[in-house]
Amino acid sequence: MTSLPVIVFILVYLGMAVGTVPGLRLDRTGVALIGLIVLLASGDLSMAKAGAAVDMPTITLLFALMILSAQFEGSGFYGLVAAKITRAVHAPKLLLAVIIAVTGILSAILTNDVVVFALTPLICTALLAQGLDARPYLVALAGAANAGSAATLIGNPQNILLGQAGGLSFGRYLLLALPPTLVALVFVFLAVIWTWRGSLAATPHEGKTEQPQVDRFQLAKGIVAIAVLIGLFLTPFPRELSALAVAGVLLLSKRMSSRDMIGAVDWHLLLLFICLFGVTAAFAETGLAQEALVSLKAHGLSLDRLSVLSPLMLAASNTIGNVPTIILILKIVPDLSQGVLAAMALLSTFAGNLLLTGSLCNIIVAERAKASGGDLSFMDFMRSGIVMTLFAMAAATAWLWLTGSVQF
């Protein structure tokens, strides 16, 4: 064993936590890519092992869902949703409730990262045009996207990973996750109302809103695609092949260019996954992680207990991020039960609402808002995030214990 894989692993995951490298315009994907390059160049990870480490079903499923989201974006659906949402601007609580409900539902179906990528600039621009503080609504958008995505195995990248790794049933997971998800969405609403009372009391200016152009045929095509996809997910047919088949049909279009739809895919996120798979595989071969787990079990601390799993998900998701955390755990502990994997999906997702760095979804909202003239700082998010997350985590932990999914 050489020390280089350990050093690279630590530096890459430190980069996941910090989000950038001081003095360099290097983001999380860049950090992970450089780490993988170092391991390949040094010979500590062969090209064959790097390729074998990549979970292709997960990458394929995520890619196909992004094509589905591109169908909705190209039809003008997201613009229509944003316009409908902001019409409730004269009733702040109603506006918050609509944002949370709509975002939660869309994130459970279309993956939270792609939903907030599309909606953030549209909602932020509309609110700023009317002289409103967009921050509470952006917090609600990110919080609802995270919470709502916990409801399904396709709602976010970590759930896709866990669902594929454990062969979890789409329908059974939905029945388990839906009650705590609805409770978490309520906590998002209450937390934002409580922590942003002053900003929500502001009176909006009369602004001129543009009517978005919607291609009804393309929108109907996307809705049918979702219905077919969910139906396929309820069958034994592999989810990644189901999604890929639906994506292939969507690319057969006379009106929407396949180049534009494929260009709408978040290739940075897919590359981040691929690099993390390789870096984590090289670290796993050192045996250090396995030795640490053996030591923890010897002291009565095991991942199959909620008393360990809940605080671990909360801490890890808000340091290195929930997606890297799940990739790491699945690599070093491949034999977890389906109950534990389902619990990890719920808890890691809700934990991502604590801090701005807790999930990629939060970071996307902050970055897209900044590009649209808005501003959502670390402290802005945390003031609501602490409340919504701790209550949601407590509710989810209690639910998992009561249903017998995982021992406390």
Side-chain angles (χ1 to χ4, degrees):
M1 181 190 78
T2 66
S3 59
L4 185 60
V6 178
I7 295 172
V8 169
F9 174 83
I10 293 173
L11 291 177
V12 166
Y13 276 77
L14 181 62
M16 294 300 100
V18 177
T20 186
V21 175
L24 298 175
R25 298 185 65 181
L26 199 63
D27 62 5
R28 288 176 171 83
T29 302
V31 170
L33 178 58
I34 289 177
L36 180 62
I37 291 172
V38 170
L39 291 173
L40 290 172
S42 67
D44 286 277
L45 181 68
S46 68
M47 192 67 72
K49 287 185 177 179
V54 178
D55 189 333
M56 282 308 298
T58 296
I59 298 296
T60 302
L61 178 56
L62 191 54
F63 165 79
L65 291 173
M66 289 178 179
I67 292 292
L68 180 58
S69 179
Q71 173 71 30
F72 280 91
E73 185 171 6
S75 72
F77 173 71
Y78 290 126
L80 177 64
V81 169
K84 295 288 187 182
I85 287 175
T86 52
R87 284 181 184 175
V89 73
H90 289 281
K93 292 183 180 179
L94 176 60
L95 176 56
L96 270 180
V98 173
I99 287 176
I100 290 169
V102 172
T103 305
I105 293 171
L106 290 178
S107 296
I109 302 171
L110 295 174
T111 307
N112 60 355
D113 292 342
V114 295
V115 168
V116 297
F117 185 87
L119 287 182
T120 299
L122 299 172
I123 292 177
C124 184
T125 302
L127 293 171
L128 293 175
Q130 298 181 69
L132 292 175
D133 185 352
R135 292 176 297 171
Y137 303 99
L138 293 173
V139 171
L141 179 68
N146 283 318
S149 72
T152 69
L153 291 173
I154 58 171
N156 55 60
Q158 65 269 19
N159 281 20
I160 292 173
L161 278 165
L162 290 162
Q164 293 295 110
L168 302 181
S169 165
F170 187 88
R172 283 199 294 270
Y173 176 81
L174 177 61
L175 292 175
L176 174 70
L178 191 56
T181 295
L182 294 175
V183 171
L185 288 170
V186 171
F187 285 138
V188 172
F189 176 76
L190 295 176
V192 175
I193 288 289
W194 181 53
T195 54
W196 291 92
R197 296 182 295 276
S199 296
L200 293 174
T203 303
H205 302 155
E206 289 296 333
K208 186 177 181 181
T209 57
E210 296 183 4
Q211 186 66 26
Q213 297 295 319
V214 179
D215 188 326
R216 296 183 182 278
F217 175 77
Q218 296 299 332
L219 177 56
K221 187 177 174 182
I223 293 172
V224 171
I226 285 180
V228 171
L229 188 61
I230 292 176
L232 289 172
F233 283 162
L234 297 175
T235 70
F237 197 67
R239 280 193 288 270
E240 68 277 9
L241 296 182
S242 300
L244 198 60
V246 171
V249 172
L250 291 177
L251 290 174
L252 300 173
S253 174
K254 291 183 178 180
R255 304 183 190 182
M256 295 178 64
S257 166
S258 60
R259 176 177 290 274
D260 291 339
M261 293 182 70
I262 295 173
V265 169
D266 190 346
W267 295 103
H268 288 269
L269 180 60
L270 295 180
L271 180 59
L272 173 63
F273 268 52
I274 291 169
C275 294
L276 287 177
F277 279 130
V279 171
T280 305
F283 175 71
E285 287 195 354
T286 66
L288 292 178
Q290 291 81 347
E291 291 175 11
L293 287 173
V294 170
S295 177
L296 287 174
K297 286 184 178 179
H299 290 83
L301 301 175
S302 176
L303 289 181
D304 59 2
R305 305 191 70 88
L306 285 169
S307 56
V308 175
L309 193 60
S310 292
L312 175 63
M313 290 296 101
L314 186 62
S317 294
N318 288 281
T319 49
I320 63 176
N322 46 23
V323 171
T325 294
I326 297 305
I327 290 177
L328 174 60
I329 291 176
L330 289 177
K331 187 63 182 179
I332 63 178
V333 195
D335 56 349
L336 292 170
S337 69
Q338 290 192 336
V340 173
L341 293 175
M344 286 171 58
L346 268 176
L347 295 171
S348 65
T349 302
F350 292 159
N353 267 340
L354 184 70
L355 303 176
L356 187 64
T357 53
S359 77
L360 291 171
C361 176
N362 301 344
I363 296 168
I364 290 171
V365 170
E367 291 180 348
R368 296 283 282 172
K370 186 175 182 180
S372 302
D375 183 35
L376 182 63
S377 70
F378 185 89
M379 295 302 296
D380 289 335
F381 190 91
M382 188 175 70
R383 62 192 287 190
S384 299
I386 291 175
V387 179
M388 69 174 76
T389 302
L390 295 183
F391 278 101
M393 290 285 289
T397 301
W399 174 254
L400 290 166
W401 176 65
L402 288 172
T403 56
S405 302
V406 188
Q407 291 183 338
F408 191 80

